[in-house]
Amino acid sequence: MIRTIGVDPGSRYTGFGIVEGDGSHLKHIHHGTVKIASSRPLPERLEIIFEQLKDSIGAYGPQFMAIEEVFFAKNVKSALTLGQARGVAILAGVGSGLSIHEYSALRIKQSVAGYGRAAKEQVAGMVQRLLRIDKELEPDAADALAVAVCHISTWSSNLRWKVPQRQ
Amino acid sequence: MIRTIGVDPGSRYTGFGIVEGDGSHLKHIHHGTVKIASSRPLPERLEIIFEQLKDSIGAYGPQFMAIEEVFFAKNVKSALTLGQARGVAILAGVGSGLSIHEYSALRIKQSVAGYGRAAKEQVAGMVQRLLRIDKELEPDAADALAVAVCHISTWSSNLRWKVPQRQ
């Protein structure tokens, strides 16, 4: 059983979701969205993201952080903004001793919805079903839970593959 | 007299420079470059930048952090990479209680070299002269010292303007 915090960072909305499991069994532990008014100055926003993620890591004790790999953005400005939020999110993980893992959007969709071109809503719906969550999920929290699920299934299948080599 | 740490963040080279002064008087306190092998994984790199800046802040006690405003980058990928380093650099400042100030490249060049279209080497040369540094500066450390000088002169001239209103 491993426990993972998935993170979907952004300068206004940072989703996070904690999932425990071993591939076939998945258990939803907690999720939420850090929401920050765009009127707040940048340094304060980055600090809020960092502190709130650190608090959740402290409260729920995951061993892993999973985060989506990013290769593109609308433009350079939004890439810079996203990069800043992403940097402090990763720092919150590594500073708490977590092992950090990145997954492509394709890989995340495949592992949650079964195919890589699934729509955002389909992924959110599957996350809800897989984790038996009754209430509708906010988009950023759904994305965060999806990358956590992706990490757990990837990690677990790696372990399964490794078992024969150890015997 | 105010003491400022200027920072020029990057995922491989992060320059920093600490300057004390009140506009007309400038005193070089310390400078350096955090150099990180590109083979290191991203989370580790971000942690090194964060920790080394926090250490320098702890050791030299600046009240301000000055950093260049960024609006463009070569492409989206380099904007993401720069954003991540920039995010953790700002976090190191705000987490240590510093007041963070951003300045455009134009403003920095104007305040150090006298005009906004000065070449990078001219700015570095002027920084060296203004701060009476004998040895040639590494480019990232020179840029970091330049933004610190810019902050001190901006801050000091703001204070001078405010004096009559207080009497």
Side-chain angles (χ1 to χ4, degrees), chain B residues 29-74:
Chain B
I29 305 291
H30 181 69
H31 71 268
T33 307
V34 182
K35 293 174 189 174
I36 311 169
S38 58
S39 56
R40 297 249 195 152
L42 170 69
E44 208 181 294
R45 287 204 232 177
L46 297 177
E47 196 177 29
I48 293 169
I49 296 169
F50 181 72
E51 292 297 338
Q52 295 211 11
L53 289 179
K54 269 213 332 198
D55 286 353
S56 294
I57 292 167
Y60 297 97
Q63 307 101 307
F64 298 91
M65 174 179 279
I67 189 163
E68 188 180 320
E69 254 175 347
V70 185
F71 296 110
F72 32 62
K74 252 187 302 180

Side-chain angles (χ1 to χ4, degrees), chain B residues 68 103-123 126 143 146-147 150:
Chain B
E68 188 180 320
Y103 296 96
S104 69
L106 185 83
R107 181 83 195 76
I108 298 166
K109 287 176 176 185
Q110 266 169 346
S111 94
V112 172
Y115 69 115
R117 308 191 68 157
K120 216 173 154 60
E121 298 70 32
Q122 285 177 289
V123 174
M126 275 305 293
D143 286 347
V147 63
C150 174

Side-chain angles (χ1 to χ4, degrees), chain A residues 42-44 46-48 50 70-88 90-91 94-96 100 102, chain B residues 42-44 46-48 50 70-88 90-91 94-96 100 102:
Chain A
L42 170 69
E44 207 180 296
L46 296 177
E47 196 177 30
I48 293 168
F50 181 71
V70 184
F71 296 110
F72 31 63
K74 251 187 302 178
N75 52 48
V76 161
K77 189 168 180 288
S78 61
L80 273 162
T81 307
L82 171 59
Q84 289 170 169
R86 197 171 190 272
V88 302
I90 291 172
L91 191 73
V94 73
S96 307
I100 318 284
E102 296 181 278
Chain B
L42 170 69
E44 208 181 294
L46 297 177
E47 196 177 29
I48 293 169
F50 181 72
V70 185
F71 296 110
F72 32 62
K74 252 187 302 180
N75 52 48
V76 161
K77 189 169 178 290
S78 62
L80 273 162
T81 307
L82 171 60
Q84 288 171 169
R86 196 172 191 273
V88 302
I90 291 172
L91 191 72
V94 72
S96 306
I100 319 284
E102 296 181 278

Side-chain angles (χ1 to χ4, degrees), chain A residues 24-119:
Chain A
S24 48
H25 297 88
L26 289 168
K27 191 179 165 195
H28 168 247
I29 305 292
H30 182 68
H31 71 268
T33 306
V34 182
K35 294 174 190 173
I36 311 170
S38 57
S39 56
R40 297 251 194 150
L42 170 69
E44 207 180 296
R45 285 202 234 179
L46 296 177
E47 196 177 30
I48 293 168
I49 296 169
F50 181 71
E51 293 297 338
Q52 295 213 8
L53 290 179
K54 268 210 338 194
D55 286 353
S56 294
I57 292 166
Y60 298 99
Q63 308 103 307
F64 298 91
M65 175 180 277
I67 189 164
E68 188 180 322
E69 254 175 346
V70 184
F71 296 110
F72 31 63
K74 251 187 302 178
N75 52 48
V76 161
K77 189 168 180 288
S78 61
L80 273 162
T81 307
L82 171 59
Q84 289 170 169
R86 197 171 190 272
V88 302
I90 291 172
L91 191 73
V94 73
S96 307
L98 273 57
S99 165
I100 318 284
H101 298 261
E102 296 181 278
Y103 296 95
S104 69
L106 186 82
R107 180 85 195 74
I108 297 167
K109 286 177 176 184
Q110 265 169 347
S111 94
V112 172
Y115 70 115
R117 309 192 66 160

